[in-house]
Amino acid sequence: MSEHRAAPVAAHEPPYYAVVFTSVRTPDGDGYDETARRMGELVREIPGFLGEDSARTADGFGVTVAYFRDLAGLDEWRGDTEHRAAKDRGRRQWYERYTLHIAKVEHSHQYERGQRPGQGAEAEPVPGRRGATGTPEGCPAAP
């Protein structure tokens, strides 16, 4: 959907939503890069869009995670006319297969080398049950 960045999307205050799109591409890439750039421009206009992370291996397996503040923003993106046309073309031309997961993010934090603990934009953990490490149940312990 967008250009490569050297850093992941910053942690946001939960709750918000993550849309995880995993895919396997076909060899036919005609028009893909232009369409991906356009989708990146369009999605940034959606109220509640928080950013995206994306990576693709040399053999065509890709993962894109887009973040939305709420389901209303996600629904607006899902219904966008240009986005729907790009999805249709993707099914016909660019993807062998894909999977889409939508998840509610209940915990978010970030790390940057050189920062001391407690410094930076680390989001507060979600109140509730804690695991043995002190993190919310089901969340990995931070290094």
Side-chain angles (χ1 to χ4, degrees):
M1 260 188 339
S2 71
E3 303 166 6
H4 172 74
R5 290 180 335 277
V9 170
H12 292 277
E13 183 67 33
Y16 56 95
Y17 291 86
V19 179
V20 182
F21 178 76
T22 56
S23 63
V24 176
R25 292 272 309 273
T26 66
D28 184 357
D30 183 46
Y32 181 86
D33 290 339
E34 296 84 4
T35 301
R37 270 191 291 283
R38 176 64 181 145
M39 294 302 102
E41 293 168 1
L42 278 177
V43 74
R44 282 190 279 285
E45 296 173 8
I46 300 291
F49 175 72
L50 302 173
E52 68 166 355
D53 293 311
S54 191
R56 183 163 301 280
T57 64
D59 63 352
F61 178 76
V63 178
T64 297
V65 184
Y67 306 96
F68 290 85
R69 173 56 54 205
D70 52 38
L71 291 174
L74 178 55
D75 287 342
E76 185 174 335
W77 177 236
R78 191 181 313 177
D80 181 89
T81 304
E82 280 188 72
H83 180 224
R84 292 172 63 90
K87 289 191 309 187
D88 289 344
R89 186 173 179 190
R91 288 185 199 105
R92 288 190 321 270
Q93 181 178 350
W94 299 315
Y95 299 113
E96 287 291 338
R97 68 173 48 102
Y98 67 79
T99 305
L100 183 76
H101 306 274
I102 299 173
K104 185 176 185 179
V105 176
E106 297 185 2
H107 176 83
S108 184
H109 72 269
Q110 64 190 44
Y111 164 81
E112 187 172 329
R113 185 169 302 284
Q115 284 186 337
R116 294 188 317 265
Q119 213 180 16
E122 186 166 309
E124 288 297 314
V126 173
R129 268 182 26 193
R130 303 284 174 189
T133 63
T135 59
E137 291 261 310
C139 293

